Amino acid sequence: MRILLTNDDGYDAPGLAALAQACAHLGELTVVAPAKAQSAMSHAITLHRPLAVRGPLVTPGLPAHTFSVEGRPADCVKLALANLLPQRPDLVLSGINAGANIGVNVLYSGTTAAAREAAIQGIPAIALSLHLSKARQERWDVAVDYARWALDRLLTRPLTPGDLLNVNLPISDDGAEPTGFEFVPVCTTRTLDAYEPAAAPGAGPGAASAPDMPQSYAVRTGLSFAEPILGTDVEALMQRRITVTPMHWDPTDHPQLDTWRNHLNAY
Ligand code: MN
């Protein structure tokens, strides 16, 4: 099996090396990943400048075929398929993200977007993310075991073109084991965010009093969700389950499409 690996934390992120380790036994790996961190860039692509590619790079923990791209996660997948890979991969894996991608965060995430791009391109894809504890002392070695356990089981069912799975691995730094899979829908509740006044980027002393100085705000966001979360990926991950959500990217509301057709066809 030929596997393309990517992520949104950058090609040198420990989570990508963890992913390579978790799936090395599954086949032939190629990495095409952003040169710099691209978290929360969602499905952005780069249109107004060329994409600089470096590689093959010799990077500890990564396969011989590793390339970095000065672009977004979706750029990496598109460019890999269009130019960099000699053959289409059988599978695209994105991650392991440093931080859970549950609830509406799947829309903001570059990790899930890279997998979504692969699905659009007709290649089965799995996004993997690790729930970090507040201490943020990531045990990537443990996360490797979780990811390998999950991938070995998920791949017993042949994936078909366009299949897209979002997988979250529970906190791995406190010695507790995951309690198994939970197949759950994405929580659609909004996140509870706070926007707090902050110093403007690059503002010097006294600059804030200048009349044309913008007021700046810094966001505090995370995994706090407005209720309800029951029966969703949020609840299951908090209960240390490995969450799996099959997703699709089709933005059309098909029932509403029929409703509108029927409505206007009556005139
Ligand atoms: Mn990230």
Side-chain angles (χ1 to χ4, degrees), residues 20 53 131 138 263:
V53 179
H131 187 195
E138 299 94 334
H263 175 73

Side-chain angles (χ1 to χ4, degrees), residues 7-10 37-40 96-99 101 109-111:
N7 74 348
D8 80 355
D9 293 332
Q38 301 291 329
S39 292
I96 302 170
N97 189 60
N101 276 307
S109 164
T111 306

Side-chain angles (χ1 to χ4, degrees), residues 12 19 24 31 77 96 104 118 130 144 148 193 195 208 217-218 223 241 244 252:
D12 53 353
L19 180 60
V31 169
V77 173
I96 302 170
V104 291
L130 176 66
V144 167
R148 189 185 290 124
D193 308 323
Y195 285 82
Y217 295 87
L223 299 181
R241 309 282 285 171
V244 182
T252 302

